[in-house]
Amino acid sequence: MRPELNRRSFVALATAAPLLAACGGVARQKAGANTGAGLRAALPAYVPSGSVRPDIPSVAGGAGAATDPAFLAYPSSRVATVRGIPGRGGSYTAVTPLWGTVPPAGNSFYEAMNTALGVTLTMKPADGNNYNTIVPTMTAARRLPDWIQLPTWWNSVFDVGGLAGTQLADLTPYLAGDKIKRYPNLAAIPTGAWQTGAWGDRLYGIPSFSSDFVVAGAVFHRRDILEAKGITAGQVRSADDLMNLGRELTDARRGVWAFDDVWTYLFPAWNVPLTWDVQDGRLIHKYEMPQFFEALDWHHRLARAGYLHPDAVAGRNADAATRFYSGKVLISGGGTGAWSLADHQSGTAADADYRRGAFDFFAADGTSAPRVAMGLSTNVVSYLNSRLRPDQIEELLAVADYLAAPFGSAEYTMVNFGVEGVHFTMKDGVPTATEDGRKFVQAMTFPFLASPPAVISNPGAAVVTRDHAAWQAANVRALYKPVFWNMNIGMPRSLSGAAAAQAVEDAVKDCYHGRTKVSEVQAAVSTWKTGGGGDRLKQWMTDNVLDKYGTGR
């Protein structure tokens, strides 16, 4: 099967990045803010699709969270979900970022897609490594293409809030509420994902790779090795349990350490938010919370006890996967995208018994209910040009509906694999790329304009799909919407340094690697609050976000 884009590799960036975009200029802040009532009026209705039935259905949790449906094999029926040809013969240009080799223009896949879509859509993939400089050049000259993908982690660089309504088309008249039912596949995209493309109480963006189960990541373990020792993930219910496990698993004389870095994925166990919380009506930053330093102290002690691999302590993370595959490290933090067919193939190549597992979310004290903040529903959003006429917008929305067809449908197969016999063949029930498919079919072209919600699928490795789906189902009720979830708020550039808090984050890293004490991080936080803009940031967020627009929950 041709390797597909891993949605979670992009979602992880959104989870790790600041929740609010740093847009310049007070005048443009109005374009980014959303009120609760205005947002509800602008967002599309949600109508789940029943066209393709998964092997493992989605499970609902709290706060709108739900697991991704799972497929143990690629659907053989390939049902059609779009009647006829969506386009009416229009000609358009589209730009998406591409981290890879740009296919030649006019190739057989592009031509086949244009025939299927009923439009001439000239795809112009741009170098993803320089995309953050390419797009501002276009916007400065007011020369955006008809359709463009703007990753949310660059919202501040692109000033998307300022472009909304000026260079980007307002889709509210076409998609708000029940109007989206004209486009059934777009209607099956979760509401939260649409919110990432809403600015100033109006809808502008079309989401891709959305999910109702988005977290920063998980604390993984070598399930095969632990179970051979009689250890199961369910035995770890507290921070003390995990520390004791570190003691049991570490054997430096044999070159085996229990842990690689886990801080980023474990500190929420102490009920620490990603960034902000509201207590008694007042905004509070995670650096102001005692439990933040309790979490840091635990990680400091972990490193000082010698349970953390020396290369992790030294910051050499390029070989972290190799350490995990070889069994030199048995517990490692990472994004959930690591749970994949490619990981299974790499792991079993190193050790035939390899099996990745993940600990369930737990509260550090072992008694409280675990709470894990949801990340952005997606960070891959495309926009249409405001110069387009209403009939052209409707035509491209019909095209987007085709691109958003559910996993395994006839349209999805075409968008992601091309023409059978030309770009792929079915091998053991799996679409497998031909030479032309490998050259011309890219996951970061058409799916970057629109795509269906995420699923869990690892053809040929059903154990991976079952394990991942079971873990999501066991943990979905722990998810909650954090303060300012999925909100698009413009922040003055003068506060971007305070939001990043790089000096504090550097001190935190030194501490959880055991090189400095918790007290030194506390001193760095104190400096950040008074001299690094932390107090000004908190006041600005209180005055301009919390007091005006609420928590976003």
Side-chain angles (χ1 to χ4, degrees):
M1 185 177 185
R2 176 182 61 80
E4 294 187 49
L5 172 72
N6 185 340
R7 175 195 61 82
R8 290 178 180 81
S9 65
F10 290 90
V11 169
L13 285 171
T15 311
L19 290 175
L20 304 179
C23 298
V26 174
R28 288 179 174 171
Q29 290 166 9
K30 183 178 179 181
N34 292 298
T35 64
L39 189 61
R40 287 190 294 273
L43 291 177
Y46 172 57
V47 184
S49 172
S51 300
V52 181
R53 296 191 178 278
D55 298 303
I56 304 175
S58 177
V59 177
T67 65
D68 296 325
F71 292 81
L72 300 175
Y74 196 80
S76 58
S77 58
R78 290 190 242 166
V79 299
T81 66
V82 176
R83 293 184 180 180
I85 296 174
R88 300 188 296 268
S91 295
Y92 307 95
T93 57
V95 172
T96 61
L98 175 63
W99 289 268
T101 303
V102 177
N107 64 69
S108 59
F109 173 60
Y110 285 0
E111 291 178 353
M113 280 297 298
N114 282 341
T115 298
L117 296 174
V119 297
T120 300
L121 188 58
T122 302
M123 301 298 295
K124 296 183 177 182
D127 180 10
N129 294 318
N130 296 311
Y131 205 65
N132 59 331
T133 60
I134 294 171
V135 172
T137 301
M138 294 180 185
T139 59
R142 302 186 71 85
R143 292 183 178 177
L144 284 176
D146 298 310
W147 202 344
I148 190 166
Q149 204 272 112
L150 301 178
T152 64
W153 62 85
W154 281 323
N155 275 351
S156 61
V157 176
F158 300 153
D159 186 20
V160 178
L163 297 175
T166 57
Q167 296 190 46
L168 305 178
D170 182 358
L171 304 182
T172 315
Y174 309 91
L175 299 178
D178 288 342
K179 294 176 182 177
I180 199 171
K181 293 180 179 179
R182 181 179 177 184
Y183 311 102
N185 291 327
L186 292 180
I189 296 174
T191 302
W194 290 103
Q195 188 171 332
T196 60
W199 302 84
D201 290 343
R202 308 295 290 178
L203 180 66
Y204 294 91
I206 303 170
S208 293
F209 306 106
S210 59
S211 172
D212 281 332
F213 192 107
V214 181
V215 292
V219 178
F220 294 108
H221 61 269
R222 281 292 301 268
R223 179 170 175 171
D224 55 312
I225 295 176
L226 267 62
E227 289 187 346
K229 296 176 179 290
I231 303 168
T232 62
Q235 294 170 332
V236 176
R237 300 184 181 91
S238 70
D240 286 345
D241 289 345
L242 196 57
M243 183 71 76
N244 292 335
L245 185 58
R247 181 183 303 111
E248 181 177 350
L249 296 177
T250 299
D251 189 343
R253 287 177 297 181
R254 291 195 305 110
V256 176
W257 283 264
F259 292 93
D260 240 317
D261 279 342
V262 292
W263 164 261
T264 301
Y265 311 98
L266 188 57
F267 75 76
W270 281 260
N271 198 20
V272 178
L274 294 176
T275 306
W276 300 102
D277 198 4
V278 173
Q279 297 180 2
D280 298 325
R282 298 180 62 186
L283 191 63
I284 184 170
H285 194 280
K286 65 182 177 181
Y287 295 160
E288 300 175 288
M289 297 181 173
Q291 59 263 40
F292 176 83
F293 297 102
E294 292 170 9
L296 196 54
D297 176 68
W298 185 92
H299 285 79
H300 176 81
R301 289 187 286 111
L302 183 82
R304 298 294 293 178
Y307 306 153
L308 195 62
H309 194 285
D311 284 350
V313 173
R316 293 190 289 267
N317 294 320
D319 296 327
T322 300
R323 296 194 290 267
F324 194 65
Y325 295 147
S326 65
K328 299 299 182 183
V329 164
L330 304 181
I331 301 171
S332 180
T336 56
W339 229 336
S340 65
L341 177 63
D343 172 77
H344 177 77
Q345 293 170 335
S346 297
T348 53
D351 184 336
D353 295 326
Y354 174 84
R355 187 176 180 185
R356 180 181 289 271
F359 296 109
D360 287 342
F361 297 135
F362 59 82
D365 62 13
T367 58
S368 304
R371 299 180 73 246
V372 176
M374 296 167 60
L376 298 180
S377 299
T378 185
N379 55 11
V380 181
V381 183
S382 71
Y383 297 85
L384 302 182
N385 198 307
S386 61
R387 295 194 307 263
L388 295 170
R389 302 187 308 269
D391 63 303
Q392 292 177 311
I393 291 175
E394 290 176 347
E395 184 174 31
L396 287 180
L397 288 175
V399 169
D401 188 62
Y402 183 105
L403 300 180
F407 175 86
S409 64
E411 299 86 0
Y412 179 95
T413 305
M414 178 66 189
V415 171
N416 287 272
F417 302 104
V419 178
E420 186 170 3
V422 178
H423 305 109
F424 77 94
T425 58
M426 296 301 292
K427 184 176 180 180
D428 298 326
V430 180
T432 304
T434 64
E435 182 177 352
D436 278 1
R438 288 189 291 272
K439 288 190 299 185
F440 303 145
V441 183
Q442 296 277 4
M444 287 179 279
T445 49
F446 292 99
F448 258 31
L449 298 176
S451 70
V455 303
I456 302 172
S457 176
N458 303 278
V463 64
V464 179
T465 298
R466 291 186 188 278
D467 287 350
H468 191 176
W471 178 81
Q472 282 198 2
N475 290 279
V476 67
R477 294 193 178 277
L479 272 57
Y480 73 94
K481 290 180 180 178
V483 172
F484 309 138
W485 181 75
N486 271 10
M487 289 179 69
N488 288 325
I489 302 293
M491 181 190 298
R493 292 190 185 277
S494 60
L495 291 175
S496 59
Q502 193 59 54
V504 176
E505 289 301 308
D506 289 343
V508 167
K509 182 180 291 187
D510 283 341
C511 187
Y512 70 68
H513 282 157
R515 290 192 289 267
T516 58
K517 299 178 180 179
V518 173
S519 59
E520 295 177 66
V521 179
Q522 291 172 321
V525 168
S526 180
T527 300
W528 167 79
K529 285 174 61 67
T530 57
D535 286 340
R536 288 190 296 109
L537 171 67
K538 180 179 175 179
Q539 191 62 54
W540 190 92
M541 293 292 296
T542 298
D543 295 341
N544 296 280
V545 184
L546 181 64
D547 289 350
K548 291 183 178 179
Y549 306 108
T551 64
R553 287 172 169 166

